[in-house]
Amino acid sequence: EHGITKPKGYNVSFHYNPEMEKHHFGMTHPMKPWRLTLTKSLVSAYGMNFAMDNYTARAATYEELTAFHASDYVDHLATVAPQPQPLDVENPNPDLKYNLGGSDCPLFEGLYNYCSLSGGASLDAARKLCANQSDIAIAWGGGLHHAKKAEASGFCYINDIVLAILQLLRIHARVLYIDIDVHHGDGVEEAFFSTDRVMTVSFHKYDPLNFFPGTGALEDNGPKSEHNPGAHHAINVPLNDGITDEQYKWLFESIITRVVEKFRPGAIALQCGADSLAGDRLGKFNLLVQGHSSCVEFCKKLGLPLILFGGGGYTPKNVARAWAYETAIAIGHQDDIPSQIPIHTPWRDRFKIDSLLPTIQQILGEPRQNRNTQKKLTEIVQHVTEQLRFVGA
Ligand code: V1S
Ligand code: CA
Ligand code: ZN
């Protein structure tokens, strides 16, 4: 009936827990965990599950979370009350210390469960790669790149990416982290600031005073403090509104080709934040699913063990399109899935447009003004090339 069968010669695993969608950040909050359900329903409607190993992700344990996070922070996360604590001048509310309870990182029912499920999915994915049981492992519930060792930030409480990379480092001498979320991957960058075993590359909108988190300038390549092996191992690609598929693909491929050549990673961790797509509620790029997913396709072709994480993405129907199409790329079926969203897809009405790959006109009507000049993009590639002179043997 459907033509989707297991790819020969390599394995893809899909790590997901339907419990994640039951958590709510609040009505006005842009992060909607049910986008994961929408993604999963599209993946299943296309029959993609027949071509991968599907796992119900477990929750990460306390010990696993504290492999990166401070135990006092994890202890606090495990006990926080969704209601604001009464004001006590003698004992200041510890929520503030950990940046919890504000509008970006609210306290909600089941928060600790949500965090450990996201961490568990990414850890399971990393372990499948380490055990050589998967060539590509997918964890769309992960990708929460802003979380710090002892602090929540930008909708992220537990940095599942750092936890996963720590696993990969048990097997691989060097791991390459790439981040195509519209925001700077600051938490992952900072976690590996002092090692030359992880190189981080983030593509993001950069406008320090007006766009979160405000870090990630071209010149920020890791602290150049005395004998820091991590110096030059952070690469930042600051962009402006309106970047197109053609420009993004060119930049991505130019930079990643050079990085892989010099750094020679043993595995790649790719954060696929879908807020870099056109029509996102927070992001303002002009990327289509085609351009976004070309990054996944390019990484797959490098032939290294690959882990795919989710991340941002605030227009759920477009998030589901991108992550479903990127799942198709992982299993090698992107060219033989119908371009029309299957009629039996649950929540099909949510997609509005019945194409899996809508045009920019269908999404936005008029594309956003592109504020990225080719001159600036060429300068970025030039800067990266110069940075890479300090990297590798
Ligand atoms: N941009 C943006 C944005 N929008 C919100 C927000 C809006 C409505 C709410 F009810 C709650 C929050 N917060 C922000 C950003 C954080 C963006 C995080 C992106 C996460 C990721 O995609 O990279 C990975 C999952 N926060 C801010 O801009 C901070 C403020 C400075 C302004 C907004 N207010 C609400 C908080 C402080
Ligand atoms: Ca990014
Ligand atoms: Zn984002």
Side-chain angles (χ1 to χ4, degrees), residues 202-260:
S202 176
F203 297 77
H204 46 265
K205 173 179 159 123
Y206 179 65
D207 181 355
L209 298 180
N210 302 302
F211 196 69
F212 186 87
T215 48
L218 182 62
E219 297 74 24
D220 295 340
N221 302 107
K224 291 181 193 63
S225 57
E226 261 188 287
H227 310 298
N228 174 19
H232 314 291
H233 284 70
I235 289 178
N236 283 300
V237 182
L239 302 166
N240 293 317
D241 288 345
I243 193 165
T244 63
D245 276 4
E246 294 68 37
Q247 288 181 320
Y248 201 91
K249 187 173 190 299
W250 179 81
L251 250 186
F252 187 89
E253 298 185 2
S254 307
I255 291 172
I256 301 305
T257 302
R258 287 166 172 80
V259 166
V260 169

Side-chain angles (χ1 to χ4, degrees), residues 60-109:
T61 64
Y62 177 85
E63 285 69 30
E64 287 173 327
L65 298 177
T66 51
F68 170 57
H69 292 284
S71 51
D72 61 318
Y73 173 57
V74 179
D75 290 339
H76 188 70
L77 266 184
T79 55
V80 275
Q83 297 309 313
Q85 304 292 303
L87 201 62
D88 177 348
V89 197
E90 298 295 306
N91 300 297
N93 184 346
D95 293 350
L96 299 173
K97 175 172 154 202
Y98 302 119
N99 191 30
L100 292 166
S103 50
D104 274 1
C105 301
L107 299 172
F108 54 82
E109 199 63 50

Side-chain angles (χ1 to χ4, degrees), residues 145 179-185 202-204 271:
H145 59 176
D179 185 315
I180 61 171
D181 189 288
V182 76
H183 299 97
H184 176 221
S202 176
F203 297 77
H204 46 265
Q271 196 266 21

Side-chain angles (χ1 to χ4, degrees), residues 304-324:
L304 294 165
L306 176 64
I307 176 162
L308 302 178
F309 304 102
Y314 306 102
T315 303
K317 57 184 190 290
N318 295 336
V319 177
R321 282 186 172 94
W323 292 348

Side-chain angles (χ1 to χ4, degrees), residues 349-363:
D349 55 313
R350 305 257 183 168
F351 289 95
K352 301 285 196 286
I353 307 158
D354 74 356
S355 168
L356 182 64
L357 304 173
T359 63
I360 197 98
Q361 285 72 28
Q362 286 174 308
I363 298 164

